[in-house]
Amino acid sequence: MTPEISTYERLLEAEARERRHPFWGRIHRQLDEIEATAPTTSAEVLRLLGSYSSDSGFFHGGMDRELLGSLAIAGWEVTEYNAAYYWTAQHPATGESLEYIEGDVYNRTDR
């Protein structure tokens, strides 16, 4: 007789498979690093997303974890939320600001 596995165990297995996937695994690692290092500037966030620019970058979302959630864990606050695909966030200590529009991430810090 095969033991039954719970829905929760199935979800854990699915996440483990996703983390090993060449594409999705990289995105999980980006979000893990944002949460672990808690960047305080927009340029740091963009660098962690793999951008070569301190002004803009791209986040390949589309899974259960999203950039906004990881930024919130890292201490950033939502300043405007229009939809899951269009929001802004700011770091309360530095005043640095990011805007997210359908995967594009922009440094919106007043310079």
Side-chain angles (χ1 to χ4, degrees):
M1 177 177 255
T2 305
E4 292 287 323
I5 64 170
S6 70
T7 302
Y8 178 71
E9 290 171 314
R10 276 187 211 133
L11 289 172
L12 291 176
E13 288 175 2
E15 182 178 338
R17 279 191 308 276
E18 188 175 75
R19 285 179 172 271
R20 290 188 303 270
H21 189 276
F23 179 78
W24 296 113
R26 182 178 58 82
I27 294 169
H28 274 291
R29 287 187 295 279
Q30 287 175 329
L31 296 177
D32 290 343
E33 192 166 358
I34 287 170
E35 293 172 12
T37 62
T40 60
T41 69
S42 299
E44 288 176 281
V45 172
L46 291 168
R47 184 185 55 75
L48 292 172
L49 293 178
S51 177
Y52 296 106
S53 167
S54 62
D55 293 322
S56 65
F58 191 80
F59 176 72
H60 296 278
M63 57 185 195
D64 290 340
R65 291 176 73 196
E66 285 294 336
L67 178 59
L68 186 56
S70 291
L71 286 173
I73 290 169
W76 290 67
E77 298 174 349
V78 176
T79 53
E80 186 177 342
Y81 187 88
N82 297 297
Y85 57 84
Y86 181 40
W87 48 262
T88 60
Q90 185 174 41
H91 194 277
T94 63
E96 294 271 327
S97 181
L98 289 168
E99 182 178 37
Y100 177 90
I101 304 171
E102 296 183 345
D104 294 311
V105 184
Y106 300 100
N107 180 349
R108 293 297 191 224
T109 305
D110 294 330
R111 296 180 191 218

